[in-house]
Amino acid sequence: MDAKDRQIIRELQKDGRLTNQELAERVNLSPSPCLRRVRNLEAEGVITGYTALVDQKAYGLPITVFVRVRLDRHGQDLIKGFEEQVARIDQILDCFLLAGGDDYLLRVIVDSLEAYEDFMRRKLHAIPGIASIDTSFAYGVVKQTRVFPLSS
């Protein structure tokens, strides 16, 4: 991947609805080589898909919760089971594997505190092998972007 590919990716991250003509103009390429590069990035799995960015409050899910989870042991079966169950829970948008004291960081969105309680009781607590759960509620957003920084 070269600097031009990264430029194409950044422009598509800013606006995934750009036409090939608009994209080509923004990255200073003619349309044919630009389209060829985009298709190559898709074929190589660098561009994994396209999606709409949606305001979660307008959608009806105003509460963002960060949940740190520590497992009680680290056997392969337990880890695999935890990760498979997390992948099936719609309220969990992101699950990051961590180094340090906690094992996972989850980003959860819900429509109310009652919905979060239900999520915890019926979904997260139902997963075996969890030693501890620590919750932080986000009460505002300072920065949120999907555009990668320039690579050196």
Side-chain angles (χ1 to χ4, degrees):
M1 180 182 319
D2 63 14
K4 191 59 71 175
D5 288 336
R6 286 186 178 88
Q7 191 178 8
I8 288 168
I9 289 167
R10 284 178 53 86
E11 290 301 324
L12 287 173
Q13 286 178 312
K14 291 175 190 174
D15 184 356
R17 295 183 62 154
L18 289 172
T19 67
N20 185 58
Q21 180 69 37
E22 292 167 329
L23 179 60
E25 289 171 9
R26 289 189 186 186
V27 299
N28 298 315
L29 284 174
S30 59
S32 292
C34 183
L35 183 59
R36 189 169 38 255
R37 282 177 176 264
V38 170
R39 295 292 182 245
N40 286 341
L41 290 166
E42 291 169 346
E44 293 168 4
V46 176
I47 295 175
T48 59
Y50 299 87
T51 189
L53 299 177
V54 177
D55 181 297
Q56 75 181 61
K57 288 180 185 175
Y59 185 81
L61 297 166
I63 298 176
T64 299
V65 187
F66 293 96
V67 181
R68 288 168 300 286
V69 175
R70 193 178 73 228
L71 301 179
D72 62 7
R73 58 191 186 288
H74 294 95
Q76 288 298 334
D77 290 341
L78 181 72
I79 291 169
K80 182 179 179 192
F82 175 83
E83 292 177 359
E84 287 174 352
Q85 288 190 52
V86 162
R88 289 192 294 267
I89 300 173
D90 289 339
Q91 292 90 342
I92 300 173
L93 298 189
D94 298 304
C95 176
F96 298 96
L97 186 60
L98 302 177
D102 296 314
D103 296 311
Y104 296 93
L105 176 66
L106 312 177
R107 182 169 64 100
V108 175
I109 62 172
V110 292
D111 63 1
S112 66
L113 292 177
E114 292 81 11
Y116 181 68
E117 179 184 6
D118 186 65
F119 159 80
M120 288 297 289
R121 289 179 184 272
R122 293 184 340 114
K123 296 189 178 177
L124 202 56
H125 287 163
I127 300 174
I130 294 177
S132 69
I133 297 170
D134 185 38
T135 297
S136 296
F137 290 90
Y139 64 89
V141 177
V142 175
K143 179 181 179 181
Q144 188 172 41
T145 183
R146 297 286 185 242
V147 181
F148 294 163
L150 292 173
S151 178
S152 52

